[in-house]
Amino acid sequence: MTSAGASVVRTHAGAVRGRREDGLVVFRGIPFAEPPVGDARFAAPRPVTAWDGTRDAFAFGPPPPQESGFQGRTGVIDAPMGDDWLTVNVWTPDPDPAARRPVMVWIYGGAYKLGHSGSPGYDARRIARDGDLVVVTLNYRLGVEGFARIDGAPANRGLLDQVAALEWVRENIAAFGGDPGRVTVFGESAGAGSVASLLAMPSAAGLFGRAIAQSVPGPFFSDGLARDIAAAIAAEAGLRPTAADLSSVDPRRLTAVGEALGPKMREFEDRWGMVAHTLTAFSPVVDGEVLPTAPWQALAAGSARDVELIVGHTRNEYRLFAALGGQLGTITDEQATAALRTFGPGLGPGSGFGADGERAYRAAFPDASPEELYEWVHSDAVFRMPSLRLAEAQIAGGGRAHVYELAWPAPAYGGALGACHGLDIPLLFGTFAADLGLMLFAGVGSSPEAEAVSSRFRTAWTAFATTGDPGWPAYDTERRPTQVFDTESVVTAYPHETSRRLWEHHDFGALPLIDQSA
């Protein structure tokens, strides 16, 4: 039922009313699972209880509890409160069941501890309108609630939330004008790590046929490492890493416990390896059940051979983090050496070359400054090489992958940030004045050049969701064709061949607990 300003759609749980906005109909804050509180705390998501009447879907649902970095990174200051964290939002050109438009499902990033689908930077109107398709965004549990490996609870609850949201899409999206048989999942950073996980999860099989992973993070935890990290987190509150103990702390207060560990992570270097030098104590856990194997091994074994894939990264991934940490222009040779020895490629997951890794990088990039070496090894280890190797694993498993790099530099600060991590978000969504866009386009805003790059980026994604062809050839391990998005976008051989060769024998996978004696 529609009117000039509203539209009502009936889902399996009940009717919802959306609003007409800018040529679309938008539904916000539709629950896809029960609030994960009370006896549902730390449990797998449970089906939402049906409701009578028509529910207004005008406002985004509350953000999942998360660390204090939330407001500064997302731009949402007056976020709604409540326990209904597990909600979806839908942008559709027309909620006509006969339309059967392609569907894109967005999974936000944020180091598995930050994020909210209601953030202004994820306003999907331009994607839905320009691509003439349906876009769904979703919330999932974060931090301790979603990813800590605790006794008495399933692992990877945040990933299970994503599966539940995709099941909601399968069951309900036709009523919003979408085709449940043409679903593409896409995500950035931790959202890309989530997409990679979904490609490896048996419970997600068949829920989508295409996937886009933007800047896949390398760290995935072994069960032993994840349990050790959870014990350290719980110890911050004098608790055991159990669902029973942690349930005694309000979800909104428990985020402070996880946050308190952050400044102390380097104290665990002997046990956690490179993880102790990263920005988050949370990652997907290769627990053997929810996530049986790490994505690289799963895809190489053919877990997603029937899923069409785009995967790629930005050129200067780590420069954003260097800027946020006040490190631009300050890196010493000693700091570069430490980074090369910590993050350099090894023969097994989480094992660095040490001095050999440092020598290998310095030999490969003899003219690089300490700052360039520092940025390069962080970018390679954490995002660029995990992304490239995911494409190679997909091909090895009999599937198809398209590879890209975003090389166009963020215009703020005279281009000093380069094509940094997260720049693809405002370009894809066209949200130059929201969230990260506020920083990356600060004082500059949109421009004809930015709009042109944004349009090319968005067109490629929506074309892929519609037809499976983003507009450039599939990757292969001989020619290595890569779409480079820049002022003048080109298809070329993979542009970081030196790094690729340095990492070609590294085994990406579940990071181990190094020292188990303590």
Side-chain angles (χ1 to χ4, degrees):
M1 179 177 65
T2 62
S3 66
S7 182
V8 175
V9 167
R10 177 162 294 280
T11 73
H12 284 201
V16 292
R17 181 182 292 109
R19 283 179 172 156
R20 294 192 173 273
E21 302 174 8
D22 299 327
L24 302 168
V25 184
V26 184
F27 300 80
R28 298 178 173 91
I30 305 172
F32 65 83
E34 283 293 284
V37 295
D39 63 0
R41 183 96 179 268
F42 299 117
R46 300 177 179 179
V48 66
T49 301
W51 59 85
D52 296 325
T54 299
R55 179 177 181 140
D56 285 340
F58 299 159
F60 292 112
Q66 55 198 272
E67 296 183 9
S68 58
F70 165 59
Q71 293 183 352
R73 292 172 185 251
T74 67
V76 177
I77 304 299
D78 298 320
M81 297 298 292
D83 297 330
D84 233 342
W85 316 325
L86 302 184
T87 58
V88 295
N89 319 293
V90 182
W91 285 257
T92 178
D94 184 16
D96 177 2
R100 310 289 284 189
R101 287 180 168 88
V103 181
M104 298 185 73
V105 180
W106 171 253
I107 303 175
Y108 54 72
Y112 306 102
K113 62 181 182 179
L114 300 168
H116 176 217
S117 63
S119 297
Y122 303 144
D123 186 323
R125 71 183 69 189
R126 293 188 70 174
I127 299 175
R129 190 169 54 225
D130 292 1
D132 191 33
L133 42 69
V134 178
V135 181
V136 178
T137 66
L138 61 95
N139 282 353
Y140 60 97
R141 281 173 284 181
L142 300 163
V144 177
E145 300 292 326
F147 289 94
R149 185 67 169 112
I150 57 179
D151 290 336
N156 300 305
R157 296 170 297 282
L159 298 179
L160 293 175
D161 293 343
Q162 296 167 18
V163 171
L166 288 168
E167 290 173 339
W168 182 93
V169 169
R170 179 184 61 193
E171 295 165 0
N172 295 285
I173 205 63
F176 294 85
D179 183 351
R182 282 197 294 169
V183 174
T184 300
V185 293
F186 66 128
E188 184 269 347
S189 196
S194 296
V195 169
S197 300
L198 292 167
L199 291 166
M201 291 170 60
S203 60
L207 293 177
F208 55 93
R210 295 176 182 135
I212 305 172
Q214 304 169 209
S215 301
V216 180
F220 274 63
F221 296 165
S222 65
D223 201 58
L225 174 60
R227 288 183 182 276
D228 202 66
I229 293 172
I233 293 171
E236 291 293 323
L239 300 171
R240 298 170 301 168
T242 67
D245 270 26
L246 294 173
S247 291
S248 67
V249 183
D250 182 273
R252 293 169 187 83
R253 290 182 50 235
L254 190 59
T255 59
V257 177
E259 191 168 5
L261 179 66
K264 305 176 183 178
M265 285 177 61
R266 293 200 176 191
E267 299 173 11
F268 296 87
E269 181 179 17
D270 290 344
R271 298 174 64 79
W272 302 349
M274 66 171 284
V275 174
H277 294 268
T278 65
L279 299 176
T280 182
F282 303 101
S283 282
V285 181
V286 180
D287 65 305
E289 184 176 350
V290 175
L291 186 58
T293 58
W296 299 271
Q297 287 72 44
L299 267 63
S303 70
R305 64 166 57 97
D306 296 328
V307 178
E308 297 167 322
L309 175 65
I310 291 177
V311 62
H313 51 73
T314 69
R315 177 157 293 180
N316 309 108
E317 287 279 3
Y318 196 74
R319 204 172 293 181
L320 173 70
F321 304 103
L324 292 173
Q327 295 178 312
L328 288 182
T330 71
I331 300 301
T332 65
D333 197 59
E334 290 75 17
Q335 288 173 305
T337 295
L340 293 169
R341 294 185 176 195
T342 299
F343 289 94
L347 299 179
S351 62
F353 278 148
D356 290 340
E358 180 198 355
R359 282 192 291 269
Y361 256 85
R362 290 187 184 276
F365 302 102
D367 299 323
S369 67
E371 183 153 14
E372 288 169 332
L373 288 169
Y374 185 88
E375 177 192 321
W376 229 240
V377 74
H378 277 95
S379 294
D380 282 344
V382 182
F383 295 111
R384 295 197 310 193
M385 295 303 108
S387 298
L388 178 66
R389 292 289 293 278
L390 192 74
E392 293 178 346
Q394 174 72 338
I395 295 165
R400 190 179 75 178
H402 298 263
V403 173
Y404 76 91
E405 178 181 69
L406 174 60
W408 186 78
Y413 313 110
L417 295 176
C420 65
H421 187 74
L423 176 60
D424 45 331
I425 297 174
L427 288 174
L428 175 60
F429 285 86
T431 49
F432 303 106
D435 301 354
L436 266 178
L438 288 169
M439 175 184 179
L440 303 181
F441 293 81
V444 181
S446 178
S447 67
E449 183 176 297
E451 289 286 359
V453 176
S454 174
S455 178
R456 285 196 293 272
F457 212 79
R458 190 162 49 253
T459 297
W461 268 219
T462 57
F464 177 73
T466 302
T467 68
D469 181 4
W472 72 90
Y475 192 80
D476 65 72
T477 54
E478 293 183 4
R479 297 177 299 118
R480 305 188 186 281
T482 303
Q483 173 70 64
V484 178
F485 290 98
D486 205 337
T487 304
E488 296 295 330
S489 297
V490 298
V491 177
T492 184
Y494 183 69
H496 304 291
E497 179 65 11
T498 301
S499 290
R500 187 195 68 78
R501 288 186 177 276
L502 282 174
W503 287 85
E504 65 182 337
H505 299 300
H506 180 77
D507 180 18
F508 284 100
L511 298 173
L513 177 61
I514 297 173
D515 178 3
Q516 304 183 41
S517 61

